[in-house]
Amino acid sequence: MSVNQQANASVMPAKEFLTFVLGDETYALDIMTVKEIRGYEIATKIANAPNYIKGVINLRGDIVPIIDLRIKFGIGEATYNEWTIVIMLNVRDRIVGIVVDGVSDVMNLEEDDIKPAPEFGVSFDSRYLHGLAAIDDLMVIIVDIEELISSDELGIFDSASV
Amino acid sequence: MDNLSQFNEVFFEEAQEHLETMETLLLAFDVDAPDIEELNSVFRAAHSIKGGSGIFGFTAMTGLTHVMENMLDSARNSELALTSGLITVLLETVDVLKEILNCYRNEEEIDWDSVKTAEAVIENAHRGTSSEQSTTVGDVLQAGTDDNQATDLEEDDGFGFFDEEPDSSEDDDGFGFFDDEPDTSADEGFGLFENEEPKEEFGFFDETLNARIEKEAAEDEDGFGFFDPLPNDLEQQAPNNVVSAEQAAPPEPPVDQQTSNIAAKPLKKAVSKPETKTTEATSIRVETNKIDKLVNLVGELVITQSMLNLIGNEVQESMMDKMQTALAELERNTREIQEAVMSVRMLPISFVFNRFPRLVRDLSVKMDKKIDLVIEGASTEIDKNLVEKISDPLTHLIRNSIDHGIEMPDVRRENGKNETGKVKLSATQKGGEIIISITDDGAGLNRERILNKALEKGISLPDPLTDEAIWQLIFSPGFSTAAEITDVSGRGVGMDVVRRNIESLGGRVDISSTQGQGSEFQISLPLTLAILDGMCVESSGQVFVVPLVNIVESIQPSKEQIKVIKNNPILWVREEYWPLVDIGKTLSGSESNGSIDQGIVVLVETAKSRFGLMVDSLVGQQQVVIKSLERHFKRVEGVAGATIMGDGSVALILDVDSLTQFINTDVKGELAHVSQSAG
């Protein structure tokens, strides 16, 4: 244990990321924020909410909002079928679900593997990006999900309460 | 260290409770007809705090409770007559103790000056009114207050022949304190000790003390006679034996005090046991988040149960009957569990109200006003969360009523009112709301003064200037009409905060006032987490819950009843025009399908307005559990919360009050015009 720690002292310890698919692009988020993964179910619509807020669902007694990132960032087509996945996230003591096209893998990344994100060419604002990582010819976009979910742009938290 | 600190929290909770008990008892104490039993309870509370704080090294509390105990001790031995002045001193001491407790709790620096001052005050009060002897006793004991152990020892030394006692008394204290430990056997055993300990041991002391002091007083001896050598003591006590036994409140057989301690002890124990049993606590402390978890789980259980019901209907013929019976049983049990769990969270509002007699008493003394506080509906149950949050706003409002509302006695007499002002605090449950009102029979709000003040402060005036709108001005930030700033009120922060606090709970404050007759502040609070009676309605394929309390009636309008003003439909029912709000359009963004006369209109009313909700159909009446939308999302206009339906889906609960804003303002204006010309 202690030997290991010493060996890794120079590099950041590896973190685990969950990769998911939006349209043709593969994204990843810190797995520690993931509460659970479940199938999509019809949400109860919320009055006067933007179209990417699909509504709220009942997660074992908690009323949880569901966000469709595909609509928000205009990636892929917002279709809902039996393979549509919702990732339940724990962000700043709140639970939020995000709709994605699919969940693919869990991978280990070290800080060195993550390259800075370009200013353009990604649907997300660079504020919410942690960086890019190349894995087997596949480019994975690493999202700073906490920043994104709690952002004013998404507007799902009252700014006063965050 | 850590081992001990895990019990600190238990001590804090207990001490808090003891302090509250003391306060309640002291407030209820009748100076003219002192009840020794009550005094004993106060004494026991003080003693428990002293013991506990000693164990945990909270010396500030130990010292103060000790001098307090001395005074109480003299009082319950009828040696010191408690005047209302002394009660005030005791109450103030309780306040200081509360502060010290908070300091320890938050690991803050103790204000030793105030502790010392409080000790001195109580000593002085004690000295001023009691006999010479007890003064000296107090002084001597005071020397040891910094160290509980030393104090106890000294005290015991004084009693010389009770040498066996101090050890057992300390031990009992210690174990009594730990009686919250999960181990039930320990609980039973030691819990009993705790309750009976003060009676058993200290009661015994008191009696002797009493006897001695009587004797000494008669002989006008020096106070230090208290610590006289043992043989002397015994001689003196013997003749007074009977007197002292008569004075002790619980009728006890005169015990021959010259017998050894060992002999006396079992006898006493036998006497005190049956009394103490009745006072044993029948409650346990549970963390609120555990209860919250239970509530959530039960909610899930209810949903699972209704899912089972659906499946049960599809079961094959042969099993059908059995299945249905079992399901019916399950349904009943589930409902009972739900009710039981919900009731755990609910507390009687007396938890909040009980602190106000004290407040009113203090304020009336401070301001030389005579005030009666009447409390009604103290058993109304509200959610525990609300109990904590409603206390501050209520305190502000009551202070305001007393400071600004109730006039000075002479003014009241001149105006032909009873000299004693009346402040009424009442709570009732009305449908889905708790109504708490604070009524006073004071001067009422002064329209002119409020208006002048508002102009002075540059607060924009409402239009039109109705009384109600003017009263609401007093909630503006920085508003205060008090002629001068007292430490009671007048800084103009209170009312502003009151309204904000109450609104943050989803409630509102309404004021009604009549000049010269008094005013009423009415707080309406939703029963969050409580069960709400609602009507489920469907609109645009989605189910909404309308609180039953708001519903006047539901009708299927005919074409003739629908009029149109500026393209907005209104409804003519019961000789009145009702503006309409289309739920589907405002809350799910879909266009209404079909004409109004094909749907149903639910007529609703709030304190401010009456209107109709256009829905597609009624689903049925149901009790629902309110869930917060804000917990994971944010506040939504027109929606009070959400609930989970039998099939597990989420339905929004409508906030009829805030739906008012969706009424087209043109229509509102027109309607006002119509009703004016009609009138």
Side-chain angles (χ1 to χ4, degrees):
Chain A
M1 182 68 184
S2 65
V3 178
N4 255 348
Q5 269 176 353
Q6 272 171 358
N8 285 339
S10 54
V11 289
M12 286 285 286
K15 266 168 112 181
E16 281 189 308
F17 290 86
L18 177 75
T19 60
F20 57 94
V21 180
L22 292 179
D24 303 326
E25 296 168 16
T26 303
Y27 292 81
L29 53 83
D30 184 355
I31 204 161
M32 294 311 286
T33 59
V34 177
K35 183 180 168 68
E36 67 185 74
I37 297 166
R38 53 194 280 140
Y40 181 80
E41 57 184 288
I42 301 283
T44 301
K45 277 190 222 153
I46 294 290
N48 308 316
N51 59 348
Y52 57 84
I53 296 180
K54 297 308 293 175
V56 288
I57 63 155
N58 159 33
L59 183 71
R60 290 184 299 282
D62 277 312
I63 310 288
V64 175
I66 302 295
I67 315 295
D68 195 330
L69 291 180
R70 300 172 300 185
I71 302 177
K72 171 66 192 167
F73 296 104
I75 319 164
E77 255 181 75
T79 51
Y80 303 96
N81 54 37
E82 55 207 285
W83 296 286
T84 309
I85 299 289
V86 177
I87 305 176
M88 289 294 172
L89 302 167
N90 248 326
V91 175
R92 302 199 182 166
D93 257 358
R94 290 162 177 249
I95 305 170
V96 175
I98 54 172
V99 185
V100 298
D101 284 322
V103 175
S104 23
D105 204 357
V106 176
M107 58 181 191
N108 278 307
L109 282 180
E110 280 169 21
E111 203 59 43
D112 281 1
D113 299 333
I114 303 170
K115 305 281 179 282
E119 293 287 316
F120 52 88
V122 188
S123 316
F124 285 42
D125 191 307
S126 58
R127 267 180 302 167
Y128 314 128
L129 289 189
H130 192 65
L132 298 178
I135 293 159
D136 306 334
D137 298 335
L138 184 73
M139 190 189 69
V140 178
I141 304 156
I142 297 159
V143 184
D144 187 343
I145 197 72
E146 198 163 307
E147 195 64 35
L148 172 65
I149 294 296
S150 51
S151 67
D152 287 345
E153 191 185 339
L154 221 51
I156 50 169
F157 293 171
D158 276 332
S159 42
S161 60
V162 178
Chain B
M1 175 65 194
D2 271 344
N3 268 344
L4 207 55
S5 66
Q6 65 174 313
F7 295 112
N8 281 359
E9 204 40 52
V10 182
F11 167 71
F12 291 144
E13 296 250 328
E14 284 206 354
Q16 187 78 39
E17 248 171 43
H18 285 310
L19 286 173
E20 270 154 26
T21 317
M22 278 160 84
E23 190 171 326
T24 320
L25 287 170
L26 284 172
L27 280 174
F29 192 77
D30 184 354
V31 227
D32 300 324
D35 181 344
I36 302 295
E37 262 316 300
E38 280 182 6
L39 270 177
N40 279 337
S41 305
V42 179
F43 180 85
R44 270 199 297 273
H47 182 73
S48 306
I49 296 174
K50 183 177 113 179
S53 58
I55 287 168
F56 292 97
F58 301 139
T59 42
M61 294 194 86
T62 321
L64 193 49
T65 38
H66 182 74
V67 283
M68 194 173 181
E69 216 182 273
N70 282 344
M71 182 157 155
L72 290 166
D73 197 28
S74 319
R76 63 181 190 157
N77 291 327
S78 315
E79 176 192 320
L80 171 78
L82 282 182
T83 59
S84 62
L86 284 181
I87 297 275
T88 310
V89 171
L90 284 169
L91 284 171
E92 277 163 9
T93 316
V94 171
D95 286 344
V96 177
L97 283 170
K98 280 184 182 165
E99 270 165 38
I100 304 175
L101 184 66
N102 278 335
C103 285
Y104 277 126
R105 199 175 223 164
N106 305 328
E107 296 179 356
E108 286 163 6
E109 202 63 36
I110 304 291
D111 184 1
W112 283 101
D113 285 346
S114 74
V115 177
K116 289 290 165 215
T117 319
E119 280 181 24
V121 167
I122 207 165
E123 295 243 304
N124 283 337
H126 193 183
R127 198 174 337 208
T129 38
S130 76
S131 67
E132 210 186 311
Q133 279 79 11
S134 49
T135 310
T136 337
V137 173
D139 275 350
V140 174
L141 293 178
Q142 163 66 8
T145 45
D146 281 345
D147 185 339
N148 184 33
Q149 304 276 42
T151 309
D152 278 352
L153 228 64
E154 257 184 71
E155 207 175 355
D156 292 320
D157 275 351
F159 291 101
F161 64 113
F162 289 135
D163 257 347
E164 304 289 346
E165 301 263 355
D167 278 342
S168 65
S169 118
E170 295 267 355
D171 282 352
D172 284 0
D173 251 357
F175 287 116
F177 184 68
F178 289 116
D179 69 5
D180 268 1
E181 273 184 327
D183 186 342
T184 46
S185 69
D187 197 14
E188 273 170 22
F190 293 117
L192 194 64
F193 275 17
E194 187 198 32
N195 279 336
E196 99 192 2
E197 189 269 329
K199 258 226 157 62
E200 175 199 320
E201 318 242 348
F202 283 81
F204 196 48
F205 284 156
D206 300 335
E207 224 175 306
T208 27
L209 170 72
N210 195 14
R212 188 181 8 256
I213 285 170
E214 286 263 318
K215 177 69 182 167
E216 280 168 6
E219 293 180 10
D220 199 19
E221 235 184 52
D222 191 314
F224 282 97
F226 190 65
F227 291 114
D228 270 353
L230 171 79
N232 192 5
D233 241 33
L234 289 170
E235 278 166 57
Q236 287 180 0
Q237 267 173 356
N240 278 292
N241 212 356
V242 182
V243 181
S244 76
E246 272 171 10
Q247 280 188 340
E252 284 163 342
V255 178
D256 186 358
Q257 311 231 345
Q258 291 189 60
T259 51
S260 75
N261 176 34
I262 299 106
K265 204 175 163 186
L267 226 168
K268 284 277 171 179
K269 214 169 185 169
V271 175
S272 55
K273 240 183 196 166
E275 277 177 54
T276 49
K277 261 201 178 147
T278 55
T279 60
E280 252 176 278
T282 52
S283 60
I284 54 162
R285 248 184 287 280
V286 180
E287 279 174 47
T288 24
N289 54 14
K290 286 187 184 171
I291 297 174
D292 286 349
K293 199 170 173 189
L294 262 183
V295 172
N296 266 344
L297 284 174
V298 167
E300 288 302 299
L301 184 65
V302 171
I303 292 157
T304 320
Q305 183 262 325
S306 48
M307 274 163 62
L308 267 180
N309 255 355
L310 291 179
I311 298 168
N313 293 334
E314 294 164 18
V315 172
Q316 291 193 345
E317 281 294 320
S318 56
M319 292 288 285
M320 191 75 161
D321 277 355
K322 278 186 192 168
M323 191 72 185
Q324 291 298 347
T325 323
L327 281 176
E329 187 91 339
L330 179 68
E331 188 177 344
R332 209 183 61 227
N333 289 340
T334 319
R335 202 174 45 235
E336 276 174 20
I337 290 177
Q338 188 182 22
E339 277 166 16
V341 170
M342 295 306 289
S343 73
V344 173
R345 271 200 69 93
M346 304 298 274
L347 288 178
I349 202 163
S350 58
F351 272 76
V352 193
F353 282 7
N354 277 352
R355 63 189 72 170
F356 294 125
R358 170 72 195 278
L359 179 81
V360 172
R361 183 186 187 278
D362 285 0
L363 287 179
S364 58
V365 169
K366 199 179 269 172
M367 291 186 291
D368 281 332
K369 292 179 179 177
K370 291 184 177 169
I371 295 157
D372 266 348
L373 177 71
V374 182
I375 291 182
E376 282 175 7
S379 59
T380 310
E381 291 200 325
I382 66 171
D383 192 86
K384 190 182 182 303
N385 286 347
L386 284 178
V387 167
E388 284 151 12
K389 288 174 185 149
I390 196 65
S391 149
D392 279 354
L394 278 182
T395 311
H396 272 299
L397 287 175
I398 289 178
R399 281 184 170 179
N400 260 296
S401 284
I402 292 172
D403 196 19
H404 303 316
I406 304 285
E407 314 92 326
M408 299 301 288
D410 49 332
V411 179
R412 289 183 66 89
R413 211 167 32 237
E414 272 169 36
N415 293 341
K417 289 185 189 175
N418 192 331
E419 247 180 60
T420 310
K422 202 166 116 184
V423 175
K424 196 174 91 182
L425 185 60
S426 72
T428 45
Q429 184 180 349
K430 270 192 187 154
E433 280 186 327
I434 291 280
I435 314 278
I436 302 171
S437 75
I438 298 138
T439 320
D440 66 64
D441 64 349
L445 296 174
N446 188 324
R447 191 184 155 111
E448 291 306 308
R449 235 162 80 195
I450 293 172
L451 278 178
N452 288 339
K453 199 77 183 181
L455 286 174
E456 192 184 302
K457 299 264 174 192
I459 297 165
S460 58
L461 295 178
D463 180 50
L465 272 176
T466 58
D467 273 1
E468 200 174 276
I470 292 173
W471 305 152
Q472 290 290 331
L473 282 176
I474 66 171
F475 291 119
S476 316
F479 191 92
S480 174
T481 57
E484 59 186 287
I485 291 172
T486 63
D487 64 342
V488 177
S489 60
R491 282 190 208 85
V493 264
M495 293 308 263
D496 174 25
V497 175
V498 165
R499 185 165 71 175
R500 256 214 321 270
N501 283 357
I502 290 171
E503 280 177 357
S504 74
L505 299 174
R508 58 172 197 280
V509 193
D510 296 311
I511 307 174
S512 53
S513 176
T514 317
Q515 182 111 35
Q517 310 218 335
S519 39
E520 178 178 11
F521 289 79
Q522 201 177 64
I523 304 173
S524 315
L525 287 172
L527 281 170
T528 43
L529 246 172
I531 298 168
L532 174 104
D533 271 313
M535 174 67 81
C536 300
V537 298
E538 201 188 300
S539 181
S540 309
Q542 205 171 316
V543 174
F544 296 94
V545 182
V546 187
L548 215 53
V549 59
N550 294 118
I551 297 181
V552 181
E553 67 174 311
S554 305
I555 55 163
Q556 196 161 17
S558 62
K559 271 206 167 66
E560 295 78 54
Q561 289 176 298
I562 299 160
K563 319 270 184 221
V564 175
I565 295 181
K566 294 189 179 165
N567 277 334
N568 288 296
I570 56 168
L571 194 65
W572 174 254
V573 192
R574 302 180 160 209
E575 310 296 302
E576 230 180 305
Y577 283 108
W578 300 67
L580 293 177
V581 173
D582 186 341
I583 291 300
K585 206 155 107 192
T586 45
L587 292 184
S588 43
S590 53
E591 282 305 309
S592 56
N593 40 350
S595 52
I596 303 165
D597 55 334
Q598 282 178 359
I600 285 181
V601 172
V602 181
L603 300 178
V604 292
E605 71 176 347
T606 71
K608 292 180 209 136
S609 59
R610 321 173 93 195
F611 57 99
L613 297 173
M614 288 155 62
V615 299
D616 293 344
S617 62
L618 300 180
V619 178
Q621 193 179 321
Q622 194 181 337
Q623 286 198 327
V624 297
V625 180
I626 303 179
K627 299 252 176 190
S628 157
L629 255 189
E630 284 108 294
R631 173 70 187 84
H632 301 290
F633 192 50
K634 58 182 182 184
R635 207 181 139 65
V636 178
E637 282 303 332
V639 175
T643 190
I644 296 165
M645 305 303 286
D647 60 358
S649 69
V650 177
L652 300 178
I653 301 168
L654 301 184
D655 178 1
V656 177
D657 239 344
S658 81
L659 275 174
T660 317
Q661 60 178 303
F662 292 107
I663 303 172
N664 198 306
T665 41
D666 281 355
V667 178
K668 257 194 211 165
E670 286 292 329
L671 281 179
H673 184 70
V674 168
S675 59
Q676 263 172 22
S677 57

PDB file of all heavy atoms in Angstrom, chain B residues 315-330:
ATOM      1  N   VAL B 315     -55.162 -11.980 -11.510  1.00  0.00           N
ATOM      2  CA  VAL B 315     -54.924 -13.347 -11.064  1.00  0.00           C
ATOM      3  C   VAL B 315     -56.081 -14.252 -11.501  1.00  0.00           C
ATOM      4  O   VAL B 315     -57.221 -13.818 -11.598  1.00  0.00           O
ATOM      5  CB  VAL B 315     -54.768 -13.376  -9.525  1.00  0.00           C
ATOM      6  CG1 VAL B 315     -54.725 -14.798  -9.010  1.00  0.00           C
ATOM      7  CG2 VAL B 315     -53.508 -12.646  -9.138  1.00  0.00           C
ATOM      8  N   GLN B 316     -55.742 -15.530 -11.741  1.00  0.00           N
ATOM      9  CA  GLN B 316     -56.740 -16.448 -12.278  1.00  0.00           C
ATOM     10  C   GLN B 316     -57.840 -16.766 -11.269  1.00  0.00           C
ATOM     11  O   GLN B 316     -57.642 -16.655 -10.067  1.00  0.00           O
ATOM     12  CB  GLN B 316     -56.053 -17.739 -12.699  1.00  0.00           C
ATOM     13  CG  GLN B 316     -55.159 -17.510 -13.903  1.00  0.00           C
ATOM     14  CD  GLN B 316     -54.712 -18.793 -14.529  1.00  0.00           C
ATOM     15  OE1 GLN B 316     -54.827 -19.856 -13.914  1.00  0.00           O
ATOM     16  NE2 GLN B 316     -54.215 -18.714 -15.742  1.00  0.00           N
ATOM     17  N   GLU B 317     -58.968 -17.180 -11.821  1.00  0.00           N
ATOM     18  CA  GLU B 317     -60.196 -17.398 -11.057  1.00  0.00           C
ATOM     19  C   GLU B 317     -59.992 -18.093  -9.713  1.00  0.00           C
ATOM     20  O   GLU B 317     -60.400 -17.574  -8.684  1.00  0.00           O
ATOM     21  CB  GLU B 317     -61.160 -18.247 -11.898  1.00  0.00           C
ATOM     22  CG  GLU B 317     -61.889 -17.449 -12.960  1.00  0.00           C
ATOM     23  CD  GLU B 317     -62.850 -16.429 -12.393  1.00  0.00           C
ATOM     24  OE1 GLU B 317     -63.533 -16.762 -11.391  1.00  0.00           O
ATOM     25  OE2 GLU B 317     -62.906 -15.296 -12.910  1.00  0.00           O
ATOM     26  N   SER B 318     -59.338 -19.260  -9.753  1.00  0.00           N
ATOM     27  CA  SER B 318     -59.279 -20.098  -8.562  1.00  0.00           C
ATOM     28  C   SER B 318     -58.604 -19.389  -7.390  1.00  0.00           C
ATOM     29  O   SER B 318     -58.991 -19.539  -6.237  1.00  0.00           O
ATOM     30  CB  SER B 318     -58.523 -21.394  -8.870  1.00  0.00           C
ATOM     31  OG  SER B 318     -57.250 -21.049  -9.374  1.00  0.00           O
ATOM     32  N   MET B 319     -57.592 -18.559  -7.698  1.00  0.00           N
ATOM     33  CA  MET B 319     -56.843 -17.898  -6.651  1.00  0.00           C
ATOM     34  C   MET B 319     -57.437 -16.551  -6.284  1.00  0.00           C
ATOM     35  O   MET B 319     -57.056 -15.930  -5.281  1.00  0.00           O
ATOM     36  CB  MET B 319     -55.391 -17.691  -7.113  1.00  0.00           C
ATOM     37  CG  MET B 319     -54.611 -18.949  -7.261  1.00  0.00           C
ATOM     38  SD  MET B 319     -54.242 -19.646  -5.657  1.00  0.00           S
ATOM     39  CE  MET B 319     -52.957 -18.528  -5.133  1.00  0.00           C
ATOM     40  N   MET B 320     -58.339 -16.081  -7.112  1.00  0.00           N
ATOM     41  CA  MET B 320     -58.839 -14.709  -7.023  1.00  0.00           C
ATOM     42  C   MET B 320     -59.263 -14.322  -5.605  1.00  0.00           C
ATOM     43  O   MET B 320     -58.819 -13.315  -5.067  1.00  0.00           O
ATOM     44  CB  MET B 320     -60.013 -14.552  -7.988  1.00  0.00           C
ATOM     45  CG  MET B 320     -60.436 -13.118  -8.179  1.00  0.00           C
ATOM     46  SD  MET B 320     -59.261 -12.252  -9.237  1.00  0.00           S
ATOM     47  CE  MET B 320     -60.242 -10.875  -9.748  1.00  0.00           C
ATOM     48  N   ASP B 321     -60.125 -15.154  -5.021  1.00  0.00           N
ATOM     49  CA  ASP B 321     -60.693 -14.801  -3.723  1.00  0.00           C
ATOM     50  C   ASP B 321     -59.626 -14.650  -2.651  1.00  0.00           C
ATOM     51  O   ASP B 321     -59.567 -13.653  -1.942  1.00  0.00           O
ATOM     52  CB  ASP B 321     -61.722 -15.852  -3.280  1.00  0.00           C
ATOM     53  CG  ASP B 321     -63.058 -15.566  -3.925  1.00  0.00           C
ATOM     54  OD1 ASP B 321     -63.132 -14.502  -4.607  1.00  0.00           O
ATOM     55  OD2 ASP B 321     -63.982 -16.364  -3.765  1.00  0.00           O
ATOM     56  N   LYS B 322     -58.777 -15.673  -2.588  1.00  0.00           N
ATOM     57  CA  LYS B 322     -57.708 -15.644  -1.589  1.00  0.00           C
ATOM     58  C   LYS B 322     -56.840 -14.414  -1.763  1.00  0.00           C
ATOM     59  O   LYS B 322     -56.502 -13.711  -0.819  1.00  0.00           O
ATOM     60  CB  LYS B 322     -56.831 -16.895  -1.737  1.00  0.00           C
ATOM     61  CG  LYS B 322     -57.393 -18.125  -1.076  1.00  0.00           C
ATOM     62  CD  LYS B 322     -56.373 -19.239  -1.176  1.00  0.00           C
ATOM     63  CE  LYS B 322     -56.982 -20.574  -0.787  1.00  0.00           C
ATOM     64  NZ  LYS B 322     -56.092 -21.677  -1.144  1.00  0.00           N
ATOM     65  N   MET B 323     -56.497 -14.200  -3.017  1.00  0.00           N
ATOM     66  CA  MET B 323     -55.623 -13.063  -3.342  1.00  0.00           C
ATOM     67  C   MET B 323     -56.259 -11.759  -2.893  1.00  0.00           C
ATOM     68  O   MET B 323     -55.621 -10.917  -2.261  1.00  0.00           O
ATOM     69  CB  MET B 323     -55.395 -13.048  -4.861  1.00  0.00           C
ATOM     70  CG  MET B 323     -54.317 -12.109  -5.308  1.00  0.00           C
ATOM     71  SD  MET B 323     -52.686 -12.735  -4.854  1.00  0.00           S
ATOM     72  CE  MET B 323     -51.682 -11.379  -5.358  1.00  0.00           C
ATOM     73  N   GLN B 324     -57.531 -11.609  -3.216  1.00  0.00           N
ATOM     74  CA  GLN B 324     -58.214 -10.351  -2.877  1.00  0.00           C
ATOM     75  C   GLN B 324     -58.249 -10.132  -1.371  1.00  0.00           C
ATOM     76  O   GLN B 324     -58.052  -9.013  -0.898  1.00  0.00           O
ATOM     77  CB  GLN B 324     -59.648 -10.346  -3.438  1.00  0.00           C
ATOM     78  CG  GLN B 324     -59.716 -10.260  -4.961  1.00  0.00           C
ATOM     79  CD  GLN B 324     -59.110  -8.964  -5.504  1.00  0.00           C
ATOM     80  OE1 GLN B 324     -58.845  -8.028  -4.757  1.00  0.00           O
ATOM     81  NE2 GLN B 324     -58.860  -8.942  -6.801  1.00  0.00           N
ATOM     82  N   THR B 325     -58.511 -11.199  -0.624  1.00  0.00           N
ATOM     83  CA  THR B 325     -58.548 -11.065   0.839  1.00  0.00           C
ATOM     84  C   THR B 325     -57.195 -10.611   1.362  1.00  0.00           C
ATOM     85  O   THR B 325     -57.104  -9.681   2.167  1.00  0.00           O
ATOM     86  CB  THR B 325     -58.894 -12.426   1.478  1.00  0.00           C
ATOM     87  OG1 THR B 325     -59.836 -13.084   0.649  1.00  0.00           O
ATOM     88  CG2 THR B 325     -59.444 -12.251   2.860  1.00  0.00           C
ATOM     89  N   ALA B 326     -56.160 -11.287   0.863  1.00  0.00           N
ATOM     90  CA  ALA B 326     -54.813 -10.942   1.327  1.00  0.00           C
ATOM     91  C   ALA B 326     -54.473  -9.506   0.965  1.00  0.00           C
ATOM     92  O   ALA B 326     -53.891  -8.763   1.762  1.00  0.00           O
ATOM     93  CB  ALA B 326     -53.794 -11.896   0.723  1.00  0.00           C
ATOM     94  N   LEU B 327     -54.867  -9.118  -0.234  1.00  0.00           N
ATOM     95  CA  LEU B 327     -54.543  -7.766  -0.675  1.00  0.00           C
ATOM     96  C   LEU B 327     -55.276  -6.721   0.156  1.00  0.00           C
ATOM     97  O   LEU B 327     -54.722  -5.665   0.489  1.00  0.00           O
ATOM     98  CB  LEU B 327     -54.883  -7.598  -2.159  1.00  0.00           C
ATOM     99  CG  LEU B 327     -53.855  -8.179  -3.117  1.00  0.00           C
ATOM    100  CD1 LEU B 327     -54.336  -8.045  -4.556  1.00  0.00           C
ATOM    101  CD2 LEU B 327     -52.516  -7.487  -2.959  1.00  0.00           C
ATOM    102  N   ALA B 328     -56.522  -7.038   0.487  1.00  0.00           N
ATOM    103  CA  ALA B 328     -57.293  -6.091   1.299  1.00  0.00           C
ATOM    104  C   ALA B 328     -56.637  -5.911   2.652  1.00  0.00           C
ATOM    105  O   ALA B 328     -56.518  -4.796   3.171  1.00  0.00           O
ATOM    106  CB  ALA B 328     -58.729  -6.606   1.465  1.00  0.00           C
ATOM    107  N   GLU B 329     -56.180  -7.042   3.190  1.00  0.00           N
ATOM    108  CA  GLU B 329     -55.474  -7.002   4.475  1.00  0.00           C
ATOM    109  C   GLU B 329     -54.220  -6.124   4.360  1.00  0.00           C
ATOM    110  O   GLU B 329     -53.965  -5.263   5.195  1.00  0.00           O
ATOM    111  CB  GLU B 329     -55.071  -8.436   4.853  1.00  0.00           C
ATOM    112  CG  GLU B 329     -54.483  -8.545   6.222  1.00  0.00           C
ATOM    113  CD  GLU B 329     -55.560  -8.826   7.261  1.00  0.00           C
ATOM    114  OE1 GLU B 329     -56.755  -8.540   7.002  1.00  0.00           O
ATOM    115  OE2 GLU B 329     -55.207  -9.316   8.312  1.00  0.00           O
ATOM    116  N   LEU B 330     -53.475  -6.373   3.303  1.00  0.00           N
ATOM    117  CA  LEU B 330     -52.243  -5.618   3.084  1.00  0.00           C
ATOM    118  C   LEU B 330     -52.533  -4.136   2.975  1.00  0.00           C
ATOM    119  O   LEU B 330     -51.839  -3.300   3.550  1.00  0.00           O
ATOM    120  CB  LEU B 330     -51.557  -6.108   1.804  1.00  0.00           C
ATOM    121  CG  LEU B 330     -50.259  -5.377   1.423  1.00  0.00           C
ATOM    122  CD1 LEU B 330     -49.173  -5.675   2.429  1.00  0.00           C
ATOM    123  CD2 LEU B 330     -49.814  -5.768   0.030  1.00  0.00           C
TER     124      LEU B 330
END
